């Protein structure tokens, strides 16, 4: 048996209930893993609320680390006793033990703690595919300006550091002066408090009127219009989240008038569609973390039993950096 967090219907944090579930043996292509720590992510709130609808009952959670207890037929890259971490579907990480597909579970290097492993996989792999694969038509070179919204969040603080390591000038936005300073402390070249400043005007001023090659936007509804105004000709708007709600439909004619712009709506799990792709991305993430160029900022820890409060704080923008659930 395992304690796990489930919902019986979509709704608010009050729908999150801790229940006892039976955990069986892994089938072909699966593993059973005993978690040491679990990551909390905005996608969890989308699944809970129904923005991303799922059949009920639903066990939440997309990211965790732990010890592999047993492996099913055909699993060769993991063995019982291995330290492991993952960011993948189906949901179910909010639990002590689970059975899950092995394809996107990776061995966790000994030099990386379980807490760091749980905090970094979904957010770190997201930054990896954004900065390495979700690129403007003209590419990114050292010295280029990029705009990254929600720069003081878990994804954002990793992006600030990784962008600096790549020689990019990251302009971060956040909702308070304290969060802006946090982004600067983690490597952002500039920070804009979008609650008190027009971020599009500031971006133009910072870039000498040219704009940025790419905007990485996880906020969505509240920022996408301003994000488009920040782009230089042939620039790319990459909307990878919906923190303020879904992005409205975009008039394609606007992209023409603003300078032959590009728009994409990528997802992490498209990039992780194969075992080989997942491992290559994870190897890149592990290397940059072990080098010290990127440190994983765990700013909040909640017991699994306090998951409702964790969701409230996340949605109220009270958190910074990464958040984990402890077991």
């Amino acid at each position: 048996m395992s304690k796990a967090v489930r919902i019986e219907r979509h709704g608010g944090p009050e729908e999150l209930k801790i229940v006892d579930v039976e955990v069986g043996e892994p089938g072909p292509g699966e593993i059973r893993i005993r978690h040491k720590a679990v990551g909390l992510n905005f996608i969890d709130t989308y699944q809970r609320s129904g923005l991303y609808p799922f059949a009920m009952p639903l066990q939440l959670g997309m990211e965790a680390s732990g010890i592999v207890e047993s492996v099913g037929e055909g699993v060769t890259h993991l063995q019982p006793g291995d330290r492991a971490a993952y960011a993948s579907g189906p949901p179910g990480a909010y639990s002590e033990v689970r059975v899950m597909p092995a394809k996107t579970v990776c061995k966790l290097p000994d030099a990386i703690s379980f807490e760091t492993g749980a905090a970094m996989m979904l957010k770190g792999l997201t930054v990896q595919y954004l900065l390495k694969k979700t690129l403007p038509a003209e590419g990114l070179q050292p010295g280029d300006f990029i705009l990254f919204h929600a720069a003081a969040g878990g994804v954002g603080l990793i992006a600030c550091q990784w962008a600096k390591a790549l020689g990019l000038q990251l302009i971060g936005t956040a909702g308070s002066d304290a969060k802006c300073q946090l982004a600067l402390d983690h490597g952002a070249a500039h920070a804009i408090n979008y609650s008190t400043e027009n971020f599009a005007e500031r971006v133009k001023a910072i870039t000498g009127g040219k704009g940025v090659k790419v905007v990485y936007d996880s906020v969505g509804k509240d920022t996408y219009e301003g994000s488009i105004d920040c782009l230089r000709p042939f620039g790319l708007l990459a909307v990878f989240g919906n923190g303020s709600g879904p992005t409205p439909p975009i008039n394609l004619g606007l992209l023409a008038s603003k300078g032959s712009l590009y728009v994409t709506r990528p997802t992490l799990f498209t990039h992780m569609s194969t075992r080989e792709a997942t491992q290559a991305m994870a190897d890149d993430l592990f290397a940059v973390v072990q080098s010290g160029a990127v440190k994983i900022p765990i700013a909040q820890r909640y017991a699994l039993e306090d998951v409702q409060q964790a969701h409230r704080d996340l949605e109220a923008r009270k958190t910074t950096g990464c958040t984990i659930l402890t077991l």
Side-chain angles (χ1 to χ4, degrees), residues 142-221:
D144 282 344
F145 286 101
I146 66 174
L147 179 64
F148 209 102
H149 288 302
V155 175
L157 291 183
I158 294 172
C160 288
Q161 298 173 79
W162 208 332
K164 183 178 180 180
L166 294 172
L168 302 172
Q169 298 194 69
L170 184 145
I171 304 169
T173 70
S176 71
D177 289 342
K179 288 186 175 182
C180 284
Q181 187 59 52
L182 194 60
L184 292 169
D185 292 343
H186 283 77
H190 303 272
I192 302 169
N193 182 344
Y194 56 61
S195 66
T196 60
E197 300 179 272
N198 182 310
F199 70 84
E201 291 179 358
R202 275 291 314 279
V203 165
K204 286 296 178 68
I206 290 168
T207 60
K210 294 180 179 179
V212 298
K213 279 188 173 181
V214 59
V215 178
Y216 297 112
D217 189 341
S218 63
V219 178
K221 179 172 68 71

Side-chain angles (χ1 to χ4, degrees), residues 75 98 192 194 225 229 255 287:
V75 176
R98 71 179 294 199
I192 302 169
Y194 56 61
E225 287 186 352
D229 288 338
L255 304 181

Side-chain angles (χ1 to χ4, degrees), residues 5 25 66 77 98 176 238 255 258 278 302 305 309 311:
V5 177
E25 293 298 319
H77 69 286
R98 71 179 294 199
S176 71
L255 304 181
K258 295 286 186 177
T278 300
Y302 299 84
E305 293 76 12
Q309 189 60 48
H311 271 235

Side-chain angles (χ1 to χ4, degrees), residues 83 106-113 116-117 120-121 158 161-162 165 279-296:
R83 305 171 78 253
C106 299
K107 287 182 69 173
L108 184 66
D110 291 341
I112 299 177
S113 71
T116 298
M120 78 177 189
M121 290 298 284
I158 294 172
Q161 298 173 79
W162 208 332
Q279 191 63 57
M281 293 171 66
D283 288 345
D284 196 17
L285 173 61
F286 294 155
V288 77
V289 170
Q290 291 182 93
S291 76
V294 171
K295 295 178 173 61
I296 306 301

Side-chain angles (χ1 to χ4, degrees), residues 12-37:
E14 69 278 0
E15 298 297 335
L16 298 164
K17 309 293 184 185
I18 294 184
V19 298
D20 291 317
V21 297
E22 188 170 348
V23 181
E25 293 298 319
E30 294 182 331
I31 64 163
R32 188 174 71 220
I33 184 169
R34 182 169 294 276
H35 292 143
K36 295 291 188 180

